[in-house]
Amino acid sequence: MLRGVAAHLFSQLIKPPSQLPLHSPVRRASVDLIGRGFGVWSEFVNLTAVVMTLLELQTDPLVPIEIKKAIAQSGNIPGTGNKECLAAAATVRAAYQASILIANNKPQQTVTALSKEILTFKCDVEAGLSIQSLSVFPSSYHTILDKGRYPIYLLVQNIIEKTKARDLASIIVKIVEIMLFCIDTEQFKTRTLSELVPSLTKNALIDYCSATQQVAVGSAEGLVHVFDVRSTKCTPLHAHNAPTSAVSFASNGRTLVTFSESEGRVSIWQSSSGLLSLMSPGPLKLVRMVDALPPLPQNHPSKCPVFKWEATKLVSLYLNDKTKKSFAV
């Protein structure tokens, strides 16, 4: 019975406008029921197809960006615009709220699905394939991804805010990849990552350096991924043999420190120096590792490590039990 209900709701969601008006109450009701009951329907429907369809509904050109922002901020639709615009706005609101409910219910699966589709999109674009040529394939979500960066940004922003830190650790690298896809890289010329995605930089696993426009992201596998925000290219560093717990750049971006609680070890990375590297620092290389603290036992609560730079060549590691360890770099 549940399978049949799920299939019916999904068919109403994806039914073409020629068979069901795009902004009909029936479609909005299906959107609402899918979102509210996704914990029940999830095993009977394709999460990627549902999320991408909801994102497509949110890209409706009839609804001005100001109204979309108002919906995201308050859930209310400003009482302006003609009847057609208000009907479209009601559909956008239903799709936005449903996508948020689904993401809250399945954050890891939602992030993984978006990351996979974005990776495919970027690979195809780099191969020289146009968005228009790719959109003719029924299985392609490229047009939705290209137009839907703002709703994707809102969706992932909500996941960051609502998901517990320990659950974010396994998907934090994918989250950063998605957010860098959504943000216009030109904005980094005048704004920092903390201004563009405030909740993202509150996590000790992420640090942004304005001087080099790089983002370092620690992972549960012990790797630290360094993204160049101008190109979104990523360089993985084999920092630890256990989950990374904290990362931090020096203000000039030429030194990166990383820490793993499970190892109790700090890794210090530095880029090349000299005249040739003044404009663009070279790749980060491991210069040394320091046994900072006893390794934290498995399943022991985290002590929430955070780095703080005391000077250009001096960094301290702070724990929530008031432990402090300083290192010259």
Side-chain angles (χ1 to χ4, degrees):
M1 180 179 177
L2 288 176
R3 185 185 299 274
V5 174
H8 175 72
L9 291 173
F10 182 64
S11 69
Q12 296 295 98
L13 173 66
I14 65 172
K15 193 168 286 186
S18 60
Q19 298 178 25
L20 179 67
L22 191 60
H23 306 304
S24 72
V26 173
R27 192 187 299 271
R28 285 199 295 271
S30 298
V31 167
D32 182 64
L33 288 171
I34 286 174
R36 292 179 185 275
F38 196 76
V40 176
W41 321 125
S42 59
E43 63 178 297
F44 307 115
V45 296
N46 183 309
L47 180 143
T48 300
V50 171
V51 170
M52 297 306 292
T53 303
L54 293 173
L55 290 171
E56 183 175 24
L57 289 173
Q58 294 175 64
T59 64
D60 195 314
L62 285 175
V63 184
I65 187 64
E66 292 77 14
I67 293 181
K68 292 176 181 177
K69 288 181 177 180
I71 290 171
Q73 291 169 1
S74 66
N76 298 321
I77 300 173
T80 58
N82 57 39
K83 185 177 179 180
E84 187 179 17
C85 176
L86 292 175
T91 302
V92 168
R93 178 174 63 182
Y96 168 74
Q97 293 174 340
S99 64
I100 293 296
L101 289 170
I102 291 171
N104 289 343
N105 187 271
K106 303 286 184 182
Q108 294 183 332
Q109 295 91 326
T110 301
V111 167
T112 299
L114 287 171
S115 175
K116 180 180 178 181
E117 294 302 327
I118 288 171
L119 178 61
T120 302
F121 174 95
K122 292 167 70 176
C123 288
D124 287 343
V125 171
E126 288 176 5
L129 301 175
S130 69
I131 304 301
Q132 289 73 21
S133 66
L134 292 165
S135 64
V136 301
F137 298 102
S139 60
S140 172
Y141 296 118
H142 287 50
T143 302
I144 300 173
L145 290 171
D146 190 46
K147 295 181 179 179
R149 295 175 196 243
Y150 180 65
I152 294 172
Y153 168 89
L154 293 176
L155 184 62
V156 177
Q157 173 85 340
N158 181 80
I159 290 174
I160 298 168
E161 294 173 351
K162 300 293 185 182
T163 307
K164 294 180 180 179
R166 66 173 180 269
D167 297 325
L168 277 178
S170 62
I171 54 174
I172 197 68
V173 175
K174 293 176 181 176
I175 283 176
V176 172
E177 288 176 331
I178 294 170
M179 293 309 253
L180 291 179
F181 171 79
C182 294
I183 298 170
D184 182 354
T185 56
E186 289 294 309
Q187 293 192 58
F188 284 103
K189 292 181 178 179
T190 57
R191 303 175 69 186
T192 66
L193 187 66
S194 60
E195 293 174 314
L196 294 168
V197 195
S199 56
L200 198 60
T201 49
K202 294 177 182 177
N203 194 310
L205 284 173
I206 300 172
D207 193 36
Y208 173 68
C209 178
S210 298
T212 59
Q213 293 191 339
Q214 290 181 312
V215 183
V217 189
S219 74
E221 295 77 28
L223 293 173
V224 172
H225 300 257
V226 179
F227 292 89
D228 183 323
V229 302
R230 292 160 293 192
S231 65
T232 70
K233 298 293 185 182
C234 176
T235 302
L237 306 177
H238 295 271
H240 302 282
N241 293 318
T244 308
S245 306
V247 302
S248 184
F249 279 111
S251 60
N252 61 11
R254 297 184 183 278
T255 302
L256 172 70
V257 288
T258 69
F259 175 65
S260 168
E261 281 189 293
S262 298
E263 284 185 340
R265 184 172 295 168
V266 170
S267 295
I268 301 172
W269 304 77
Q270 291 182 337
S271 63
S272 57
S273 58
L275 292 176
L276 293 178
S277 64
L278 287 177
M279 296 299 295
S280 178
L284 290 161
K285 295 182 179 180
L286 181 65
V287 293
R288 73 176 189 276
M289 304 182 79
V290 180
D291 291 322
L293 297 164
L296 193 69
Q298 190 174 11
N299 298 323
H300 192 283
S302 171
K303 294 185 178 181
C304 305
V306 176
F307 283 112
K308 180 180 178 181
W309 289 87
E310 315 288 359
T312 306
K313 296 289 186 178
L314 182 66
V315 64
S316 296
L317 180 67
Y318 290 84
L319 307 182
N320 62 5
D321 63 1
K322 301 191 184 303
T323 298
K324 173 185 174 182
K325 292 283 184 177
S326 297
F327 310 91
V329 298

